[in-house]
Amino acid sequence: MKGVARRRVGRNPLPLQGCLWLCAWLLVAPFTSGCGGERSALNPAGRDAEKIAELFYWMVGGAVVVWLIVMALAIYAIRHRPADPDRRKVRLLIVGGGTVFPTVVLTGLLAFGLQMMPDLLDDGPEDGTRITVTGEQWWWRVRYDPPDGDGFELANELRLPRGERVPIWLRAADVIHAFWVPALAGKTDMIPGRVNRMALEPTRTGTFRGICAEYCGLSHAKMEFSVVVLERPEYDAWIAAQRQPARPPTGPVAARGQTLFSSLGCSACHTIRGTGATGVLGPDLTHVGSRTTLGAGILPNDIPAFLKWLTDLHRFKPGVKMPSFEMIPEEERLALATYLEGLE
Ligand code: CUA
């Protein structure tokens, strides 16, 4: 019977080969697709993300070595079955390979991971501009409070200075969300009734994508934000510009948009500093035209996108509380879109 079993394996190596190829592909796949770009934790642009990527590579390296050893042993066991195995060797293999080896490898990886903790848990300095991000269904309320007063609010966008460790305070308005900028750092939960704190330390300039990493309802997957990393002088100039009230509408279409914004009741939910609009339910729109995206990362920021949003926002973001303005004439929607897009 032993001889029959051995021959059957020898004649049909396809399942074994298939398994080996599948495992190899599963190990290699993360490196061949989806690992570049502004959303990738393996394309780090922040000190914490660099450490996390380093840990990831060490763990994958360890996994590959262990996998190769296990596969070599499996192939050896299939091809060579001694009629009378040496019990001492078998016991040694079980104790050594099954207990001692994993304990040594996992302890090594644990120690390597733990020595990174103090750096990763560094919350940044207490002084400086206080940045608070609040997760809401399904957008991000962002507040900057510079030490000399005159704080301001925006939405779905953070700007940070390169090379500085910046603390971020995290809150949630309704349900649990999680704040994650893969290229900059690990994720931190945003829990109602609690303030969590983390820090970001970007190492290069650019625009990086943040996402919500905790299922928070119907449009969880449509809750993104941008982190724009600037050199310090540009960052200071951006802060100064954001502190300014909204600029007045330019041209008759935008002016009509501003009137409509008030008469249609938009100002009950949105603030536009420098006008009578002081609503706090929805995003502050004072400088909405200067942001990188619309609708928390789901549309570009231009007049056609504003029009799409006003007409059909429930298609882009199911479950959103804001009503659609499909019922007003297109000319009025265009005026609103022109006014909002001009708020830079
Ligand atoms: Cu917010 Cu998922």
Side-chain angles (χ1 to χ4, degrees):
M1 281 307 287
K2 273 179 199 159
V4 172
R6 206 179 309 156
R7 271 201 304 280
R8 194 175 294 152
V9 171
R11 257 193 270 124
N12 187 15
L14 271 179
L16 177 65
Q17 279 189 8
C19 282
L20 287 175
W21 280 115
L22 179 67
C23 293
W25 181 79
L26 286 174
L27 277 172
V28 172
F31 299 95
T32 59
S33 62
C35 285
E38 56 184 24
R39 274 191 195 83
S40 175
L42 298 182
N43 184 20
R47 208 185 69 168
D48 303 69
E50 282 167 5
K51 291 208 167 285
I52 292 167
E54 188 188 342
L55 180 62
F56 172 80
Y57 286 124
W58 274 103
M59 295 189 83
V60 171
V64 168
V65 171
V66 171
W67 179 75
L68 288 173
I69 293 171
V70 171
M71 285 301 118
L73 286 172
I75 292 169
Y76 179 83
I78 290 167
R79 300 249 158 114
H80 308 273
R81 272 191 211 171
D84 187 17
D86 182 339
R87 288 189 168 273
R88 206 176 63 86
K89 278 186 185 167
V90 169
R91 201 171 298 134
L92 198 69
L93 185 68
I94 291 170
V95 174
T99 311
V100 178
F101 182 70
T103 305
V104 169
V105 170
L106 292 178
T107 306
L109 284 174
L110 179 68
F112 183 69
L114 286 178
Q115 56 86 25
M116 287 182 171
M117 293 288 273
D119 282 341
L120 292 173
L121 292 175
D122 174 4
D123 281 343
E126 279 287 339
D127 52 352
T129 299
R130 189 180 174 115
I131 303 175
T132 309
V133 183
T134 307
E136 313 223 2
Q137 280 176 320
W138 292 275
W139 61 286
W140 311 83
R141 188 187 294 273
V142 179
R143 188 165 176 84
Y144 279 67
D145 284 299
D148 55 345
D150 279 346
F152 59 87
E153 209 173 282
L154 68 158
N156 309 320
E157 188 164 306
L158 278 87
R159 299 215 177 191
L160 300 173
R162 185 186 67 81
E164 295 177 35
R165 195 155 186 89
V166 182
I168 316 273
W169 278 262
L170 300 170
R171 298 166 166 275
D174 33 46
V175 298
I176 301 175
H177 305 267
F179 178 92
W180 189 25
V181 193
L184 296 186
K187 54 187 92 160
T188 305
D189 274 358
M190 310 167 98
I191 300 163
R194 199 188 145 85
V195 182
N196 279 343
R197 186 175 155 181
M198 69 175 301
L200 297 175
E201 188 175 339
T203 52
R204 57 185 163 95
T205 56
T207 301
F208 306 98
R209 199 49 78 89
I211 49 179
C212 180
E214 179 81 38
Y215 180 72
C216 56
L218 203 54
S219 281
H220 153 72
K222 295 170 184 291
M223 185 173 170
E224 298 198 356
F225 62 102
S226 308
V227 179
V228 182
V229 179
L230 304 165
E231 296 295 351
R232 182 38 101 157
E234 292 154 32
Y235 174 71
D236 288 338
W238 176 78
I239 293 263
Q242 290 290 314
R243 289 167 110 171
Q244 298 298 315
R247 64 156 125 167
T250 49
V253 180
R256 172 142 170 73
Q258 187 182 34
T259 310
L260 286 165
F261 192 86
S262 170
S263 64
L264 290 168
C266 309
S267 49
C269 293
H270 296 283
T271 290
I272 297 179
R273 276 177 282 124
T275 73
T278 53
V280 292
L281 277 178
D284 183 305
L285 301 178
T286 305
H287 297 291
V288 65
S290 71
R291 293 174 199 157
T292 51
T293 64
L294 280 190
I298 56 173
L299 287 170
N301 190 339
D302 52 26
I303 291 177
F306 270 106
L307 257 183
K308 278 187 195 164
W309 178 258
L310 290 167
T311 310
D312 212 3
L313 75 168
H314 294 274
R315 182 159 73 84
F316 297 108
K317 190 164 285 199
V320 68
K321 289 177 193 127
M322 178 172 156
S324 158
F325 282 78
E326 199 185 3
M327 70 294 190
I328 66 171
E330 189 174 354
E331 163 264 321
E332 293 189 357
R333 270 179 274 139
L334 183 64
L336 275 170
T338 308
Y339 169 56
L340 293 169
E341 204 270 337
L343 294 174
E344 290 190 352

